[in-house]
């Protein structure tokens, strides 16, 4: 799924929002769709949401900062989620995070300057049997070792 | 119905909050996030009391616990004091420079906090009263942002708000004085936005922002000349009373 860019205009955002009835219970779903399309919540798109649903901007901003799935800054093309739940932690997930930090030169929660990778830690992916687990976009990687991390990143770079 | 609070018989309505019954009967329960105008927050937990109902005995939050039966309430048991002490320690760590918290610390014989990390420079305990106040005014300029330990109250994007009218309601309800509102040379500054203050038509003292005046006018349909500062409003009310009773003579 190629991320939409704000330059292409807001017609996409308008279309996404327009699909929803003007009722507050659809707010979160609309925000999620926008996040999915642009990889973040562009300010201009939030203004459209505000208009469509007649909600105060403060409320939208509160939601956008509360939910982990929503971000106000663009996320990378590849979002790397390293599980740091109990099982993964015991099996050395913090070493994976360290290795990724070293290779990508970003801390969890950040995105590389070229916009390719975002690094995140999550609290349980429900796949403890194959701990430590890492997910990149929708692809799962189980029993990951620090050595494998470099290889996985290389493969993604090669795909470009 | 009758409920007993610290041994005193108190008349209570079904559904009334324990705190309200206690206050009416001059029984003091400490509160932080409670405001008579915006009741039922239930965030700070300072107002905890013990409720005895038959054989059951439990700790409840008095500002949002409705009276449903003829219960017995104890506001200052050893257990409550102990729990409240811990709450005060935690809240004081979040609001170390608030006079209110300092007084409570003293009252409960607490020393400077050593165990919990103390956050200096900020006195917000996230009670949410300011956000509620702004909603009540109908402006919705501020909200809580983030979550967990980074949660705070802010305007969107932490920028001067596009919609704030500078009424100061949020700062007035804040129990710890953590919302900074500066007034100087006929200007008011709040949430990073500066407003010019207009003079009261009664006494000439600057008291209201242009934006708030326009908002009040639109909402109430009053003429600007009728929108007075607090003092002049009281005076006018007193004068009206006098006029009403002018021709009434006591027999
Ligand atoms: S001063 Fe602004 S933020 Fe505070 S209550 Fe008034 S409108 Fe809301
Ligand atoms: S006053 Fe009851 S919880 Fe704060």
């Amino acid at each position: 799924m190629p991320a939409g860019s704000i330059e292409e205009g807001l017609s996409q955002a308008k279309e996404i929002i327009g699909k929803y009835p003007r009722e507050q219970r659809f707010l979160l779903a609309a925000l999620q769709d926008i996040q999915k399309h642009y990889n973040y919540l562009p300010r201009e798109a939030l203004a459209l949401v505000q208009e469509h649903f007649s909600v105060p901007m403060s409320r939208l901003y509160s939601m956008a900062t509360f939910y982990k799935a929503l971000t106000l800054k663009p996320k990378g093309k590849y979002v790397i989620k390293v599980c740091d739940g109990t099982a993964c932690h015991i099996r050395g997930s913090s070493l994976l995070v360290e290795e990724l930090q070293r290779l990508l030169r970003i801390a969890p929660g950040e995105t590389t300057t070229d916009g390719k990778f975002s690094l995140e830690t999550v609290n349980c992916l429900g796949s403890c049997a194959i701990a430590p687990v890492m997910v990149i976009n929708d692809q799962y990687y189980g029993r990951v070792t620090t050595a494998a991390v470099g290889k996985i990143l290389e493969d993604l770079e090669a795909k470009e | 119905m009758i409920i007993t609070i610290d041994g005193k018989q108190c008349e209570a309505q079904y559904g009334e909050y324990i705190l309200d019954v206690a206050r009416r009967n001059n029984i003091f329960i400490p509160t932080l996030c409670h405001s008579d105008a915006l009741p039922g927050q239930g965030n700070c937990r300072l107002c905890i009391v013990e409720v005895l109902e038959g054989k059951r005995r439990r700790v409840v939050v008095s500002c949002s616990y409705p009276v449903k039966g003829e219960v017995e309430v104890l506001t200052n048991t050893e257990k409550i004091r102990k729990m409240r002490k811990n709450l005060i320690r935690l809240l004081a760590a979040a609001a170390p420079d608030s006079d209110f918290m300092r007084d409570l610390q003293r009252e409960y014989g607490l020393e400077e906090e050593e165990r919990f990390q103390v956050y200096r420079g900020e006195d917000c305990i996230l009670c949410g009263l300011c956000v509620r106040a702004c909603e009540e005014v109908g402006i919705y300029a501020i909200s809580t942002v983030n979550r967990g330990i980074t949660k705070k109250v802010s305007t969107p994007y932490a920028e001067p708000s596009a919609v704030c009218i500078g009424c100061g309601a949020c700062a007035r309800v804040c129990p710890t004085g953590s919302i900074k509102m500066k007034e100087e040379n006929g200007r008011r500054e709040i949430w990073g936005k500066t407003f010019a203050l207009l003079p009261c038509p009664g006494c000439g003292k600057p008291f209201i922002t242009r934006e708030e005046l326009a908002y009040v006018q639109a909402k109430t349909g009053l003429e600007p000349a009728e929108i007075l500062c607090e003092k002049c409003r009281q005076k006018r009310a007193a004068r009206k009373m006098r006029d009403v009773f002018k021709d009434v003579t006591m027999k």
Side-chain angles (χ1 to χ4, degrees):
Chain A
M1 167 214 53
S5 71
I6 193 72
E7 288 84 49
E8 90 188 4
L10 288 160
S11 53
Q12 299 284 322
K14 277 200 190 116
E15 206 175 290
I16 295 169
I17 299 163
K19 280 194 302 217
Y20 289 98
R22 295 174 190 266
E23 288 168 42
Q24 301 231 352
R25 63 196 162 109
F26 296 110
L27 251 186
L28 187 55
L31 290 180
Q32 278 176 313
D33 286 355
I34 294 169
Q35 171 85 35
K36 201 162 175 195
H37 183 75
Y38 293 95
N39 251 343
Y40 75 114
L41 300 173
R43 214 175 155 149
E44 298 81 352
L46 279 189
L48 292 176
V49 175
Q50 174 183 19
E51 217 181 271
H52 184 82
F53 291 97
S54 311
V55 285
M57 187 47 108
S58 59
R59 171 98 196 284
L60 290 180
Y61 191 77
S62 180
M63 288 175 80
T65 53
F66 181 85
Y67 293 104
K68 262 198 166 173
L70 304 175
T71 53
L72 292 165
K73 282 200 211 125
K75 276 202 199 185
K77 184 166 176 206
Y78 297 105
V79 180
I80 307 174
K81 292 182 185 153
V82 183
C83 181
D84 201 22
T86 314
C88 289
H89 188 83
I90 286 169
R91 287 179 163 241
S93 59
S94 45
L95 295 176
L96 298 184
V97 176
E98 263 170 41
E99 180 68 1
L100 282 161
Q101 270 180 298
R102 192 180 68 82
L103 292 170
L104 298 170
R105 299 211 180 90
I106 51 169
E110 292 178 356
T111 302
T112 53
T113 43
D114 61 5
K116 250 187 215 151
F117 297 103
S118 293
L119 180 59
E120 284 170 17
T121 58
V122 292
N123 287 333
C124 185
L125 290 164
S127 317
C128 311
I130 51 167
V133 192
M134 181 167 105
V135 181
I136 303 182
N137 292 353
D138 287 324
Q139 167 93 36
Y140 274 71
Y141 299 84
R143 299 206 175 84
V144 188
T145 59
T146 45
V149 166
K151 180 80 179 54
I152 293 167
L153 289 187
E154 267 170 39
D155 287 350
L156 289 176
E157 293 271 15
K159 259 211 275 183
E160 291 292 294
Chain B
M1 64 183 77
I2 300 287
I3 66 170
T4 333
I5 306 180
D6 291 345
K8 185 174 175 185
Q9 308 259 306
C10 306
E11 178 68 41
Q13 301 296 323
Y14 181 91
E16 224 182 338
Y17 295 138
I18 291 179
L19 178 68
D20 294 333
V21 182
R23 292 233 161 135
R24 200 173 45 236
N25 287 279
N26 292 321
I27 296 165
F28 178 74
I29 299 172
T31 60
L32 187 55
C33 73
H34 176 82
S35 148
D36 284 333
L38 307 162
Q41 289 280 114
N43 268 332
C44 73
R45 319 311 264 190
L46 263 191
C47 65
I48 47 169
V49 295
E50 276 196 272
V51 168
L52 278 57
E53 209 171 356
K55 280 201 183 107
R56 285 176 67 193
R57 183 184 184 112
R58 57 201 167 123
V59 176
V60 305
V61 180
S62 69
C63 72
S64 43
Y65 188 86
V67 175
K68 293 232 174 92
E70 310 220 311
V71 291
E72 185 180 349
V73 178
L74 296 169
T75 71
N76 215 0
T77 58
E78 183 147 351
K79 181 171 180 184
I80 289 292
R81 281 188 75 84
K82 211 170 135 197
M83 289 173 77
R84 213 176 266 153
K85 231 176 181 169
N86 280 331
L87 287 167
I88 293 168
R89 283 179 64 194
L90 286 161
L91 290 166
D97 297 319
S98 120
D99 293 335
F100 184 91
M101 283 322 299
R102 273 210 216 106
D103 289 348
L104 267 178
Q105 272 176 303
R106 216 168 300 131
E107 193 190 320
Y108 278 73
L110 291 164
E111 310 277 309
E112 273 291 298
E113 188 53 52
E114 279 174 4
R115 171 140 168 237
F116 304 133
Q117 187 180 341
V118 174
Y119 293 91
R120 287 236 170 259
E122 267 176 59
D123 286 325
C124 178
I125 53 131
L126 295 171
C127 71
L129 274 177
C130 52
V131 176
R132 281 265 310 274
C134 191
E135 286 172 4
E136 212 71 19
V137 177
I139 297 294
Y140 299 83
I142 49 176
S143 60
T144 54
V145 306
N146 302 332
R147 60 166 174 182
I149 56 164
T150 58
K151 184 171 169 179
K152 60 177 181 185
V153 175
S154 168
T155 54
Y157 297 93
E159 289 172 357
S161 155
V163 293
C164 173
I165 55 169
C167 67
C170 51
R172 272 193 298 274
V173 291
C174 177
T176 59
S178 91
I179 297 176
K180 305 281 171 288
M181 183 164 92
K182 253 202 340 234
E183 249 166 54
E184 230 170 39
N185 308 324
R187 289 178 178 278
R188 176 183 293 167
E189 201 191 318
I190 189 163
W191 294 111
K193 198 169 170 184
T194 310
F195 298 87
L197 290 173
L198 302 176
C200 166
C203 63
K205 228 182 77 203
F207 82 112
I208 195 170
T209 68
R210 191 179 302 276
E211 291 79 354
E212 187 187 350
L213 182 71
Y215 184 72
V216 173
Q217 254 186 285
K219 254 196 144 167
T220 60
L222 288 173
E223 288 301 315
E226 296 172 282
I227 301 171
L228 303 168
C229 76
E230 177 108 37
K231 264 213 187 114
C232 290
R233 249 196 337 255
Q234 282 167 2
K235 264 194 216 151
R236 187 178 57 182
R239 225 177 298 130
K240 262 197 195 145
M241 277 294 225
R242 198 190 52 202
D243 291 348
V244 168
F245 290 105
K246 201 168 59 196
D247 302 323
V248 184
T249 38
M250 290 275 255
K251 289 215 182 108

